[in-house]
Amino acid sequence: DEPGTESWHVQFSTGGLSIKEGAYEVKFRAKAPVDGSIFVGLQQSASPWKLLGSANVNVGTEWRDVSAILNISAAEEKARLTISGMGLTEGHFEFSDFSLKAVGVDGGLLRDEKGRVPMVRKRDLSRTTLAKQRDWQEFIWDTETVYWNGMRDFLKKELGVRAPIVGTQGAWSPGHVQAGMDVIDSHAYWQHPSFEGGDWNPEKWTVKNIPMAGAKDGGTLPGLAAQRVAGKPFICTEYNHPAPNTYGAETAPLIAAFAALQDWDGVFLFAYSHNDQWQQEHFDSFFDIARHPVKMATLPAAAVSFRRGDFDTELLHPKAISMERGEAIDRTLEFGPNFAFTAHFGVPLVETVLVPTDYRVTFDAVQSPGYRTSYGGNQIFAPDSYKPDFFWWLDKHSVDLYGRGSIATIGKTSAGIPIGIYGTVPWRTRQNWICLQWTALDPAPELRARQGNDFTSQFSAAKHILITATASIENTNMGWKNAEKTSVGRDWGKPPVLVEGPAATIDLPGGGKFKAWALDERGQRREEIPVRDAKLEIGPQFKTLWYEVERQ
């Protein structure tokens, strides 16, 4: 029922099949927990387990007939039919009525009897020869390349545009095509809304109410990292953990920290607001952050950490993987047009979460230096040659981030368990989940330049510290459709927004005397709160999500 770390971790097969070189059609009926695609392949039944032919097929939440044409590259007396690609999906898949038969392949004529070149429809492509499929894909890529590069030249050379030119997001166009742009763009959403029937029906939708911190598959991060093109600036112009996910506080802290680790150039949350109802005091949109208190409260510390370079790597040894154009086209035919995922490059998904990764678009195969992080069954962590430290805890479903002037702890917690480096002991929250950020507002340059993992020194010397403490969020009287809180339909509730200010005792670093204030919604000092023996107690009684600490 729980997602694994690789798509192939859930699969099944049937063996003893004698197949010949040519084409085979596999048919079956399938039902999946979510709309998506799965892998169908014919391969050897023993080492080296050579894949002879494969395809990705779409499945959905209702029973449907599925078919695929598998072009077999070599005969095999002991082949097996494998259904895979389900390991990252939570839920149950159902299958029935399998059949497999050899089918004819249409090689096609260059010209018909009237001298015309017959059109190849996409839906008929799998029934053609592999050479014809490659030619078809080459034509698509060439056409798209001419379009994007032509638009770039028109803007720059004819109109004199000086701004960097961006094409489309990496998941929608191959890196070999987008390599002609000045900047590579990407988009991602953790648990994007799913609509019954496929339309944006405001009544019938679901957003899975689960956190991303500590997810076994790395959440959105590996898929984003796999869209990068070496030597090009990389940005993410759409990112969000859509409402009404009650774990939305993790959105900005996670993406900002990992964008810095990966040396990305910019991240944009989508969107600030889709309307001008500025007096509205509750959120009623999947994506708007303007009226979403925990996203707004966590954004300043996340932005500071990214722009100031708190989570930048000091020793950058990116894992570079080259893929020349011909190989990329073959991967596209095998996995579909959206092949920018690490499993297709032979890299574990979780590895790109912590290792800066460049997927090098080249036209000549080259040997690139590799680098592999260390990770185990319970945690994934960057090795000592990386600064700062990142811990992606699989067993605790949490993440610890240690940077030069910024520290964050995001994820599951329970009473009496220390969080972070200052002995912070939270009491139970409604979801046993918390998002804590510490930000040194005046980091010392000489400490930022220091090598090693002594991240506490920044806070021991800082005169001003921002502490942001958040947890669950929902509107008053939200019309939850189920106990899992995955949908409210049109009934988003009303103001005020109910936000949880976690209670904790924090040991302030460096000794001395301190003053502290609860901040108002604009980040201004609203109420002084007591500090005794360098211990600060925060909690819901102060009706805030952030605090300023001043060393006297």
Side-chain angles (χ1 to χ4, degrees), residues 169-220:
Q169 61 164 304
W172 288 355
S173 181
H176 292 76
V177 173
Q178 292 302 305
M181 301 298 102
D182 296 327
V183 180
I184 304 299
D185 186 22
S186 61
H187 299 170
Y189 295 88
W190 171 248
Q191 305 304 331
H192 190 281
S194 177
F195 296 88
E196 186 175 322
D199 296 327
W200 287 70
N201 188 331
E203 295 280 359
K204 298 181 179 180
W205 55 266
T206 57
V207 172
K208 284 189 177 181
N209 190 34
I210 55 177
M212 191 174 85
K216 290 183 179 180
D217 63 355
T220 61

Coordinates of all heavy atoms in Angstrom, one line a residue, residues 169-220:
Q169 N 8.5 24.1 -20.5 CA 9.0 23.4 -19.4 C 9.6 22.0 -19.9 O 9.2 21.5 -20.8 CB 7.9 23.1 -18.3 CG 6.7 22.3 -18.8 CD 5.9 21.7 -17.7 OE1 6.4 21.0 -16.8 NE2 4.6 22.1 -17.7
G170 N 10.6 21.6 -19.1 CA 11.4 20.5 -19.6 C 10.6 19.2 -19.7 O 11.0 18.3 -20.6
A171 N 9.6 19.0 -18.9 CA 8.8 17.7 -19.0 C 8.0 17.7 -20.3 O 7.5 16.6 -20.7 CB 7.9 17.6 -17.8
W172 N 7.8 18.8 -21.0 CA 7.0 18.8 -22.2 C 7.9 18.9 -23.5 O 7.3 18.8 -24.6 CB 6.1 20.1 -22.2 CG 5.0 19.9 -21.2 CD1 4.7 18.8 -20.5 CD2 4.0 20.9 -20.9 NE1 3.6 19.1 -19.7 CE2 3.2 20.4 -19.9 CE3 3.8 22.3 -21.3 CZ2 2.1 21.1 -19.3 CZ3 2.8 23.0 -20.7 CH2 1.9 22.4 -19.8
S173 N 9.2 19.0 -23.4 CA 10.0 19.1 -24.6 C 11.4 18.6 -24.2 O 11.9 18.9 -23.2 CB 10.1 20.6 -25.0 OG 10.9 20.7 -26.2
P174 N 12.0 17.7 -25.1 CA 13.3 17.1 -24.7 C 14.4 18.1 -24.5 O 14.4 19.2 -25.1 CB 13.6 16.2 -26.0 CG 12.3 16.1 -26.7 CD 11.5 17.3 -26.4
G175 N 15.3 17.8 -23.6 CA 16.4 18.6 -23.4 C 17.2 18.9 -24.6 O 17.8 20.0 -24.8
H176 N 17.3 18.0 -25.6 CA 18.1 18.2 -26.8 C 17.4 19.3 -27.6 O 18.1 20.0 -28.4 CB 18.1 16.9 -27.6 CG 19.0 15.9 -27.0 ND1 18.5 15.1 -25.9 CD2 20.2 15.4 -27.3 CE1 19.4 14.3 -25.6 NE2 20.5 14.4 -26.3
V177 N 16.1 19.5 -27.5 CA 15.4 20.6 -28.2 C 15.5 21.9 -27.4 O 15.9 22.9 -28.0 CB 13.9 20.2 -28.4 CG1 13.1 21.4 -29.0 CG2 13.8 19.0 -29.3
Q178 N 15.3 21.8 -26.1 CA 15.4 23.1 -25.3 C 16.8 23.6 -25.1 O 17.0 24.7 -24.6 CB 14.7 22.8 -24.0 CG 13.2 22.6 -24.1 CD 12.5 23.8 -24.7 OE1 12.6 24.9 -24.3 NE2 11.7 23.5 -25.8
A179 N 17.8 22.8 -25.4 CA 19.2 23.2 -25.3 C 19.5 24.5 -26.0 O 20.5 25.2 -25.7 CB 20.1 22.1 -25.7
G180 N 18.7 24.8 -27.1 CA 18.9 26.1 -27.8 C 18.4 27.3 -27.1 O 18.7 28.4 -27.5
M181 N 17.7 27.1 -26.0 CA 17.2 28.3 -25.3 C 18.3 28.8 -24.3 O 19.3 28.1 -24.0 CB 16.0 27.9 -24.5 CG 14.8 27.4 -25.3 SD 14.2 28.6 -26.5 CE 14.9 28.0 -28.0
D182 N 18.1 30.0 -23.8 CA 19.1 30.6 -22.9 C 18.9 30.0 -21.5 O 19.9 29.9 -20.7 CB 18.9 32.1 -22.7 CG 19.1 32.8 -24.0 OD1 20.0 32.4 -24.8 OD2 18.5 33.8 -24.3
V183 N 17.7 29.6 -21.1 CA 17.4 29.1 -19.8 C 16.5 27.9 -19.9 O 15.6 27.8 -20.8 CB 16.7 30.1 -18.9 CG1 16.4 29.6 -17.5 CG2 17.5 31.4 -18.8
I184 N 16.7 26.8 -19.1 CA 15.8 25.7 -19.0 C 14.8 25.8 -17.9 O 15.2 26.2 -16.8 CB 16.6 24.4 -18.8 CG1 17.7 24.2 -19.9 CG2 15.7 23.2 -18.8 CD1 17.2 24.1 -21.3
D185 N 13.5 25.6 -18.2 CA 12.5 25.8 -17.3 C 11.8 24.5 -16.9 O 11.9 23.5 -17.6 CB 11.4 26.7 -17.9 CG 10.3 27.1 -16.9 OD1 10.5 27.1 -15.7 OD2 9.2 27.5 -17.4
S186 N 11.2 24.5 -15.7 CA 10.5 23.3 -15.2 C 9.3 23.7 -14.4 O 9.2 24.8 -13.9 CB 11.5 22.4 -14.4 OG 11.9 23.2 -13.2
H187 N 8.4 22.7 -14.2 CA 7.2 22.9 -13.3 C 7.1 21.6 -12.5 O 7.4 20.5 -12.9 CB 6.0 23.1 -14.1 CG 5.9 24.3 -15.0 ND1 5.0 24.5 -15.9 CD2 6.8 25.4 -15.1 CE1 5.2 25.7 -16.6 NE2 6.3 26.2 -16.1
A188 N 6.5 21.8 -11.3 CA 6.2 20.6 -10.5 C 5.2 20.9 -9.4 O 5.2 22.1 -8.8 CB 7.4 20.0 -9.9
Y189 N 4.3 20.0 -9.1 CA 3.3 20.1 -8.0 C 3.3 18.8 -7.2 O 3.1 17.8 -7.8 CB 1.9 20.4 -8.5 CG 1.8 21.8 -9.3 CD1 2.1 21.8 -10.6 CD2 1.5 22.9 -8.6 CE1 2.1 23.1 -11.3 CE2 1.4 24.1 -9.2 CZ 1.7 24.2 -10.6 OH 1.6 25.4 -11.3
W190 N 3.4 19.0 -5.9 CA 3.3 17.8 -5.0 C 1.8 17.6 -4.8 O 1.1 18.4 -4.2 CB 4.0 18.0 -3.7 CG 3.7 17.0 -2.7 CD1 3.0 17.1 -1.5 CD2 4.2 15.6 -2.7 NE1 3.0 16.0 -0.8 CE2 3.7 15.0 -1.5 CE3 4.9 14.8 -3.6 CZ2 3.9 13.7 -1.2 CZ3 5.1 13.5 -3.3 CH2 4.7 12.9 -2.1
Q191 N 1.3 16.4 -5.2 CA -0.1 16.0 -5.1 C -1.0 17.0 -5.8 O -1.8 17.7 -5.2 CB -0.5 15.9 -3.6 CG 0.4 14.9 -2.9 CD 0.4 13.5 -3.5 OE1 -0.5 13.1 -4.2 NE2 1.5 12.8 -3.3
H192 N -0.8 17.2 -7.1 CA -1.6 18.0 -7.9 C -3.1 17.5 -7.9 O -3.3 16.3 -7.7 CB -1.2 18.0 -9.4 CG -1.8 19.0 -10.3 ND1 -3.1 18.8 -10.8 CD2 -1.3 20.2 -10.8 CE1 -3.4 19.9 -11.6 NE2 -2.3 20.7 -11.5
P193 N -4.1 18.4 -7.9 CA -5.5 18.0 -7.9 C -5.8 17.0 -9.0 O -5.3 17.1 -10.1 CB -6.2 19.3 -8.1 CG -5.3 20.4 -7.7 CD -3.9 19.9 -8.0
S194 N -6.5 16.0 -8.6 CA -7.0 15.0 -9.6 C -8.5 15.1 -9.7 O -9.2 15.2 -8.7 CB -6.7 13.6 -9.1 OG -7.2 12.6 -10.0
F195 N -9.0 15.2 -11.0 CA -10.4 15.5 -11.2 C -11.1 14.3 -11.8 O -10.6 13.7 -12.8 CB -10.5 16.7 -12.2 CG -10.0 18.0 -11.6 CD1 -8.7 18.3 -11.8 CD2 -10.8 18.9 -10.9 CE1 -8.2 19.5 -11.2 CE2 -10.3 20.0 -10.4 CZ -9.0 20.4 -10.5
E196 N -12.2 14.0 -11.3 CA -13.0 12.9 -11.8 C -13.5 13.2 -13.2 O -14.1 14.3 -13.5 CB -14.2 12.7 -10.9 CG -15.1 11.4 -11.3 CD -16.2 11.2 -10.3 OE1 -16.0 11.4 -9.1 OE2 -17.3 10.8 -10.8
G197 N -13.2 12.4 -14.2 CA -13.5 12.6 -15.6 C -12.5 13.4 -16.3 O -12.7 13.6 -17.5
G198 N -11.5 13.9 -15.7 CA -10.4 14.6 -16.3 C -10.6 16.1 -16.5 O -9.7 16.9 -16.7
D199 N -11.8 16.6 -16.4 CA -12.1 18.1 -16.4 C -11.9 18.7 -15.1 O -11.9 18.1 -14.0 CB -13.5 18.4 -16.9 CG -13.7 17.9 -18.4 OD1 -12.7 17.9 -19.1 OD2 -14.8 17.4 -18.7
W200 N -11.7 20.1 -15.1 CA -11.5 20.8 -13.8 C -12.9 21.0 -13.2 O -13.3 22.1 -13.0 CB -10.8 22.1 -14.1 CG -9.3 21.9 -14.4 CD1 -8.8 21.4 -15.6 CD2 -8.2 22.2 -13.6 NE1 -7.4 21.3 -15.5 CE2 -7.0 21.9 -14.3 CE3 -8.1 22.8 -12.4 CZ2 -5.8 22.0 -13.8 CZ3 -6.8 23.0 -11.8 CH2 -5.7 22.6 -12.6
N201 N -13.4 19.9 -12.7 CA -14.7 20.0 -12.1 C -14.6 20.4 -10.6 O -14.0 19.7 -9.8 CB -15.4 18.6 -12.1 CG -16.8 18.6 -11.6 OD1 -17.2 19.4 -10.8 ND2 -17.6 17.6 -12.1
P202 N -15.1 21.6 -10.3 CA -14.9 22.1 -8.9 C -15.6 21.3 -7.8 O -15.4 21.5 -6.7 CB -15.5 23.6 -9.0 CG -16.5 23.5 -10.1 CD -15.9 22.5 -11.1
E203 N -16.5 20.4 -8.2 CA -17.2 19.6 -7.3 C -16.5 18.3 -7.0 O -16.5 17.8 -5.9 CB -18.6 19.3 -7.8 CG -19.5 20.5 -7.9 CD -20.1 20.9 -6.6 OE1 -19.9 20.2 -5.6 OE2 -20.9 21.9 -6.5
K204 N -15.9 17.7 -8.0 CA -15.4 16.3 -7.9 C -13.9 16.3 -8.2 O -13.4 16.2 -9.3 CB -16.1 15.4 -8.9 CG -17.6 15.3 -8.6 CD -18.3 14.4 -9.6 CE -19.7 14.2 -9.2 NZ -20.4 13.3 -10.2
W205 N -13.1 16.5 -7.1 CA -11.7 16.5 -7.2 C -11.1 16.0 -5.9 O -11.8 15.9 -4.9 CB -11.1 17.9 -7.5 CG -11.6 18.9 -6.4 CD1 -12.7 19.8 -6.6 CD2 -11.0 19.2 -5.2 NE1 -12.8 20.5 -5.4 CE2 -11.8 20.2 -4.5 CE3 -9.9 18.7 -4.5 CZ2 -11.5 20.7 -3.3 CZ3 -9.7 19.2 -3.2 CH2 -10.5 20.2 -2.6
T206 N -9.8 15.6 -5.9 CA -9.1 15.2 -4.7 C -7.7 15.7 -4.8 O -7.1 15.8 -5.8 CB -9.1 13.6 -4.6 OG1 -8.4 13.1 -5.7 CG2 -10.5 13.0 -4.4
V207 N -7.2 16.0 -3.6 CA -5.8 16.3 -3.4 C -5.3 15.5 -2.2 O -5.8 15.6 -1.1 CB -5.6 17.8 -3.0 CG1 -4.1 18.1 -2.6 CG2 -5.9 18.7 -4.2
K208 N -4.4 14.5 -2.5 CA -3.9 13.6 -1.4 C -3.4 14.4 -0.3 O -2.5 15.3 -0.5 CB -2.9 12.7 -2.0 CG -3.5 11.5 -2.8 CD -2.4 10.5 -3.1 CE -3.0 9.3 -3.9 NZ -2.0 8.3 -4.1
N209 N -3.8 14.1 0.9 CA -3.4 14.9 2.1 C -2.2 14.2 2.8 O -2.4 13.6 3.9 CB -4.6 15.1 3.1 CG -4.3 16.1 4.2 OD1 -3.5 17.0 4.0 ND2 -4.8 15.8 5.3
I210 N -1.1 14.2 2.2 CA 0.1 13.6 2.7 C 1.3 14.6 2.6 O 1.4 15.4 1.6 CB 0.4 12.3 2.0 CG1 0.5 12.5 0.5 CG2 -0.6 11.2 2.3 CD1 0.9 11.2 -0.3
P211 N 2.3 14.5 3.5 CA 3.5 15.4 3.4 C 4.5 14.8 2.4 O 4.5 13.6 2.2 CB 4.0 15.4 4.8 CG 3.6 14.1 5.4 CD 2.3 13.7 4.7
M212 N 5.4 15.7 1.9 CA 6.4 15.2 1.0 C 7.7 14.9 1.8 O 8.5 14.1 1.4 CB 6.7 16.3 -0.1 CG 7.6 15.8 -1.2 SD 7.8 16.9 -2.5 CE 9.2 18.0 -1.9
A213 N 8.0 15.6 2.9 CA 9.2 15.4 3.6 C 9.4 13.9 4.0 O 8.5 13.3 4.6 CB 9.2 16.3 4.9
G214 N 10.5 13.3 3.6 CA 10.8 12.0 3.9 C 10.1 11.0 3.0 O 10.2 9.8 3.2
A215 N 9.5 11.4 1.9 CA 8.8 10.5 1.0 C 9.9 9.6 0.4 O 11.0 10.0 0.0 CB 8.1 11.3 -0.1
K216 N 9.5 8.3 0.2 CA 10.5 7.3 -0.3 C 11.0 7.6 -1.7 O 12.1 7.2 -2.1 CB 9.9 5.9 -0.2 CG 9.7 5.4 1.2 CD 9.1 4.0 1.2 CE 8.9 3.5 2.6 NZ 8.4 2.1 2.6
D217 N 10.1 8.2 -2.5 CA 10.5 8.5 -3.9 C 11.1 9.9 -4.1 O 11.4 10.3 -5.2 CB 9.3 8.3 -4.8 CG 8.2 9.3 -4.6 OD1 8.3 10.1 -3.6 OD2 7.2 9.3 -5.3
G218 N 11.3 10.6 -3.0 CA 11.9 12.0 -3.1 C 10.9 13.0 -3.5 O 11.3 14.2 -3.7
G219 N 9.6 12.7 -3.7 CA 8.6 13.6 -4.0 C 8.8 14.2 -5.4 O 9.1 13.6 -6.4
T220 N 8.7 15.6 -5.5 CA 8.9 16.3 -6.8 C 10.3 16.4 -7.2 O 10.6 16.7 -8.4 CB 8.2 17.7 -6.7 OG1 8.9 18.4 -5.6 CG2 6.8 17.6 -6.3

